[in-house]
Amino acid sequence: GGCTAPEDRHTGLRVMPLCVVMLGDANDIEGILGESSKDGKEVRVRSALQACLKIMSQKPVIPLFGDMPYVCYTTLTVAPWYSSVLVRGNSLVPSWVQPTDMPPDKAEKCDRKYELRYHLERIRKQHTCQLSALRSLELQVGGQDVASQRDVSPGLMSQVFAQVSESLHVLGHWTALTLEQTSWKSARPRDLPGP
């Protein structure tokens, strides 16, 4: 989400498949998915399981270390019940595991999430807003010349701190987008046309 730091989001996406695998054996998973009760812990677990699988389908590839890709479904496949419970008869997981096996329509949707060219307009607007806000604060402080700087009130210092923190958060988001694109392209390379 928008409030979560990118590295925390990536950690969550790396841990989610492990949590799903540790839910139990095939009978436990079938019981969780087949539970018809409207309350109780089974409903909460089923809801959490379905939410995890949905999130993994929306972001199937994330950076593991640097630009090394991690494919969320790869971890799920180590569970002995993966094929018999999640793939068979349920639309909770796709029939593909590796992004290279994705159908073209799903790959196109993922391209739109991962490739920077689809985010450039928003990034440029953020960049302009951040620079404007920082320039405004610089003028309020008195510019870069130390001799012309004024005493800075605690309120203005608080504004400067908040703006710098926001700028660093935005920069972290841009870095995450770049790493996600690199991971996506590593996990699903495009064939270049021959000579």
Side-chain angles (χ1 to χ4, degrees), residues 20-32 79-82 84-85:
V20 171
V21 168
M22 293 188 304
L23 280 175
D25 62 18
N27 291 331
D28 293 332
I29 301 299
E30 284 180 338
I32 291 168
W81 44 261
Y82 174 77
S84 64
V85 176

Side-chain angles (χ1 to χ4, degrees), residues 28-120:
D28 293 332
I29 301 299
E30 284 180 338
I32 291 168
L33 292 173
E35 178 65 41
S36 60
S37 169
K38 299 286 187 227
D39 58 345
K41 71 177 184 177
E42 289 84 6
V43 172
R44 290 192 303 273
V45 171
R46 181 177 65 236
S47 176
L49 173 62
Q50 290 170 335
C52 286
L53 295 172
K54 181 178 180 183
I55 290 169
M56 284 187 276
S57 74
Q58 293 170 348
K59 275 282 197 203
V61 178
I62 54 167
L64 183 59
F65 299 108
D67 63 348
M68 183 177 170
Y70 170 73
V71 179
C72 297
Y73 291 119
T74 303
T75 302
L76 290 180
T77 61
V78 302
W81 44 261
Y82 174 77
S83 294
S84 64
V85 176
L86 290 183
V87 176
R88 182 200 73 212
N90 289 310
S91 60
L92 294 175
V93 296
S95 58
W96 55 269
V97 172
Q98 295 302 318
T100 51
D101 300 328
M102 271 184 182
D105 61 325
K106 174 66 177 169
E108 177 62 29
K109 286 180 184 176
C110 285
D111 280 347
R112 292 190 173 281
K113 290 179 190 169
Y114 286 108
E115 291 194 21
L116 287 175
R117 62 188 166 134
Y118 296 107
H119 301 276
L120 283 178

